[in-house]
């Protein structure tokens, strides 16, 4: 009986409110000591006291996936289904940040799309610190605005699958929501009015005319860029941005292909230059070896021609008769036989000494 939903509770999203939490997590909550001892018999009025005692948020933690007190109180709110005014008071509570987060989490699960954006978006301006219990059991630091952004943009939070909600621009298109207005917009408008007034005064005094028009042009450009970014953001969210992303991906792929082609062309040219250098080296070596062999053959011919004995050459006539040589030539021949007429003076001197001793040259 303690785990049953209030008979007066209405179905949410077409089902029992407690079914918005998965069955395994519900079973763990029902078996938890905090649920049995602290959440038994709670009402919408007494639930506030328990919410004020919270000091962290989270889903489940530890090896056995034990549920946090925050999750037990969310389950209790689903069971008793407090009125919408009480939940809104939870969200507007500025003294206890975990009470505010508890109300925002419950409204995100059970509220309509318009209510979710209307009551949760103002919490973006709350930057207070929060403690979140992780699955490993330790704690991490987060902030109220980060948790709100997670509830509005993610599909999963605190181990619970969040119901899907429409995109904000869709609700703006059908007229369900007005365009979001930043809290800082009034401050920006005041600053712009001050700047314009100062520039108008400067124009009346006949000074800074050019600076005024340049500033106005720069402001117009900033407004145009802001509108363009907003339109492109809506365009991407509408699903039409995929073609643009595909075009960018094709351009990047084409650039990568051209870069690869240029690198391959450069490598091919380098290989061609290397082959040309090798061919020139081979031709140069071949010409050197050829010229060296020709010089050797000339030397052989020169030595062979000079080695012919002058005695044999022409020592007989065509008719076989011996040529009679003059006496001077015979003397010269004799001198040549003893080696004293050698072209080298040292060798000739040595031959003369050997001849005087009766030795051969």
């Amino acid at each position: 009986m303690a785990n049953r939903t209030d008979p007066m509770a209405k179905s949410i999203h077409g089902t029992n409110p407690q079914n918005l939490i998965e069955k395994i997590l519900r079973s763990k909550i029902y078996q938890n000591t905090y649920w049995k001892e602290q959440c038994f018999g709670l009402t919408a009025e007494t639930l506030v006291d328990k919410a004020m005692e919270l000091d962290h948020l989270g889903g489940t933690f530890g090896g056995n996936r034990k549920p946090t007190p925050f999750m037990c109180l969310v389950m209790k709110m689903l069971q008793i289904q407090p009125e919408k005014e009480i939940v809104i008071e939870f969200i507007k509570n500025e003294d206890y940040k975990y009470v505010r987060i508890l109300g925002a989490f419950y409204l995100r699960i059970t509220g309509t799309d318009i209510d979710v954006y209307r009551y949760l978006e103002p919490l973006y301006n709350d930057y207070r610190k929060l403690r979140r219990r992780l699955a490993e059991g330790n704690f991490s630091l987060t902030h109220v605005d980060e948790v709100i952004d997670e509830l509005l943009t993610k599909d999963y939070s605190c181990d619970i699958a969040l119901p899907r909600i429409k995109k904000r621009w869709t609700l703006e298109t059908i007229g369900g929501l007005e365009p979001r207005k930043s809290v800082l917009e009034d401050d920006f408008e005041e600053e712009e009015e001050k700047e314009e007034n100062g520039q108008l005064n400067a124009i009346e005094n006949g000074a800074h005319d050019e600076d005024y028009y340049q500033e106005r042009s720069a402001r117009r450009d900033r407004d145009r860029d802001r509108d363009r970014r907003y339109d492109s953001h809506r365009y991407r969210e509408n699903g039409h941005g995929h073609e643009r992303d595909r075009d960018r991906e094709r351009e990047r792929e084409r650039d990568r292909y051209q870069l690869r082609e240029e690198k391959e062309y450069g490598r091919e040219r380098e290989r061609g230059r290397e082959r040309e250098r090798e061919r020139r080296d081979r031709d140069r070596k071949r010409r050197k070896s050829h010229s060296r062999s020709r010089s050797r053959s000339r030397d052989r011919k020169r030595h062979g021609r000079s080695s012919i004995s002058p005695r044999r050459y022409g020592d007989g006539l065509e008719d076989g008769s011996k040529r009679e040589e003059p006496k001077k030539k015979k003397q010269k021949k004799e001198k040549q036989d003893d080696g004293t007429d050698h072209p080298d003076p040292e060798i000739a001197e040595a031959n003369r000494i050997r001849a005087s001793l009766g030795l051969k040259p």
Side-chain angles (χ1 to χ4, degrees), residues 305-318:
R305 196 180 295 117
S306 61
S307 63
I308 298 175
S309 173
R311 186 183 300 173
R312 287 177 146 184
Y313 183 77
D315 58 350
L317 299 176
E318 294 180 356

Side-chain angles (χ1 to χ4, degrees), residues 249-265:
E249 185 62 28
R250 291 195 198 99
E251 292 178 359
R252 286 195 291 268
E253 185 64 29
R254 186 162 55 250
D255 294 340
R256 287 194 291 267
Y257 177 76
Q258 291 178 358
L259 184 60
R260 286 197 299 269
E261 288 292 326
E262 292 175 358
K263 289 183 179 179
E264 187 63 29
Y265 177 70

Side-chain angles (χ1 to χ4, degrees), residues 170-233:
T170 307
L171 299 176
E172 291 179 4
T173 305
I174 63 178
L177 284 176
E178 296 181 357
R180 184 184 171 195
K181 185 178 180 180
S182 174
V183 223
L184 303 176
E185 190 169 349
D186 296 334
D187 298 336
F188 288 145
E189 291 178 356
E190 292 178 1
E191 291 293 333
E192 290 180 356
E193 289 177 359
K194 290 180 181 179
E195 291 178 1
E196 290 178 358
N197 294 333
Q199 289 165 355
L200 288 173
N201 294 333
I203 290 174
E204 292 175 357
N205 296 331
H208 306 294
D209 294 343
E210 186 177 357
D211 294 341
Y212 167 74
Y213 288 110
Q214 288 180 355
E215 181 65 25
R216 190 172 65 178
S217 172
R219 191 186 310 112
R220 192 184 301 116
D221 294 338
R222 287 196 300 269
D223 294 340
R224 191 184 300 114
D225 293 338
R226 182 180 59 192
D227 295 339
R228 191 182 297 115
R229 286 195 299 269
Y230 179 71
D231 292 338
S232 63
H233 178 68

Side-chain angles (χ1 to χ4, degrees), residues 95-336:
D95 298 328
Y96 297 94
K97 50 190 176 183
Y98 292 102
V99 175
R100 168 173 280 188
I101 291 298
L102 182 65
F105 196 91
Y106 177 78
L107 182 65
R108 174 63 179 87
I109 296 175
T110 61
T112 61
D113 300 344
I114 296 176
D115 288 340
V116 168
Y117 283 104
R118 181 175 299 166
Y119 294 108
L120 265 63
E121 279 185 342
L123 302 185
Y124 272 128
N125 303 314
D126 191 347
Y127 307 114
R128 288 180 292 181
K129 297 178 182 180
L130 296 173
R131 291 206 310 169
R132 180 195 290 268
R133 191 150 202 177
L134 303 178
E136 296 81 9
N138 51 354
F139 293 92
S140 67
L141 178 65
T142 184
H143 299 80
V144 175
D145 59 317
E146 293 178 352
V147 177
I148 297 301
D149 185 70
E150 179 181 325
L151 294 177
L152 292 177
T153 58
K154 305 294 183 181
D155 296 330
Y156 209 77
S157 178
C158 294
D159 298 333
I160 291 181
L162 302 175
R164 292 186 176 275
I165 56 175
K166 296 183 179 66
K167 299 294 184 182
R168 181 181 175 82
W169 65 267
T170 307
L171 299 176
E172 291 179 4
T173 305
I174 63 178
L177 284 176
E178 296 181 357
R180 184 184 171 195
K181 185 178 180 180
S182 174
V183 223
L184 303 176
E185 190 169 349
D186 296 334
D187 298 336
F188 288 145
E189 291 178 356
E190 292 178 1
E191 291 293 333
E192 290 180 356
E193 289 177 359
K194 290 180 181 179
E195 291 178 1
E196 290 178 358
N197 294 333
Q199 289 165 355
L200 288 173
N201 294 333
I203 290 174
E204 292 175 357
N205 296 331
H208 306 294
D209 294 343
E210 186 177 357
D211 294 341
Y212 167 74
Y213 288 110
Q214 288 180 355
E215 181 65 25
R216 190 172 65 178
S217 172
R219 191 186 310 112
R220 192 184 301 116
D221 294 338
R222 287 196 300 269
D223 294 340
R224 191 184 300 114
D225 293 338
R226 182 180 59 192
D227 295 339
R228 191 182 297 115
R229 286 195 299 269
Y230 179 71
D231 292 338
S232 63
H233 178 68
R234 294 182 60 182
Y235 185 84
R236 284 195 299 271
E237 286 188 348
N238 200 17
H240 299 288
H242 297 295
E243 296 180 0
R244 186 182 303 171
D245 295 340
R246 284 197 294 270
D247 294 340
R248 291 199 189 100
E249 185 62 28
R250 291 195 198 99
E251 292 178 359
R252 286 195 291 268
E253 185 64 29
R254 186 162 55 250
D255 294 340
R256 287 194 291 267
Y257 177 76
Q258 291 178 358
L259 184 60
R260 286 197 299 269
E261 288 292 326
E262 292 175 358
K263 289 183 179 179
E264 187 63 29
Y265 177 70
R267 294 194 196 99
E268 188 64 31
R269 288 185 61 185
E270 187 63 28
R271 285 196 289 268
R273 293 194 193 99
E274 188 67 25
R275 288 195 293 269
E276 183 66 21
R277 285 195 293 268
E278 292 177 357
R279 185 182 64 79
R280 289 177 183 175
D281 293 341
R282 287 197 299 270
D283 293 344
R284 192 180 297 109
K285 290 178 181 179
R286 193 180 299 113
R287 285 195 298 269
K288 286 182 179 180
S289 62
H290 182 66
S291 62
R292 195 179 296 113
S293 62
R294 288 180 62 186
S295 63
R296 288 199 194 97
S297 63
R298 288 197 201 98
D299 294 341
R300 290 195 196 97
K301 289 179 182 179
R302 190 181 299 112
H303 289 305
R305 196 180 295 117
S306 61
S307 63
I308 298 175
S309 173
R311 186 183 300 173
R312 287 177 146 184
Y313 183 77
D315 58 350
L317 299 176
E318 294 180 356
D319 54 359
S321 60
K322 292 184 178 181
R323 178 181 298 171
E324 294 180 0
E325 295 183 359
K327 189 178 292 184
K328 290 182 180 180
K329 290 185 177 181
K330 288 183 180 179
Q331 292 176 358
K332 186 176 181 180
K333 185 178 179 181
E334 291 175 359
K335 285 183 179 181
Q336 290 178 353

Side-chain angles (χ1 to χ4, degrees), residues 4 6 13 28 36 42 44 47 53 66-67 111-112 130 136 141 165 168 185 289 336 340:
R4 289 186 180 179
D6 190 348
H13 301 302
K28 291 182 180 295
K36 294 178 180 179
L42 286 179
L47 182 66
E53 297 175 359
K66 181 181 178 181
T112 61
L130 296 173
E136 296 81 9
L141 178 65
I165 56 175
R168 181 181 175 82
E185 190 169 349
S289 62
Q336 290 178 353
T340 58

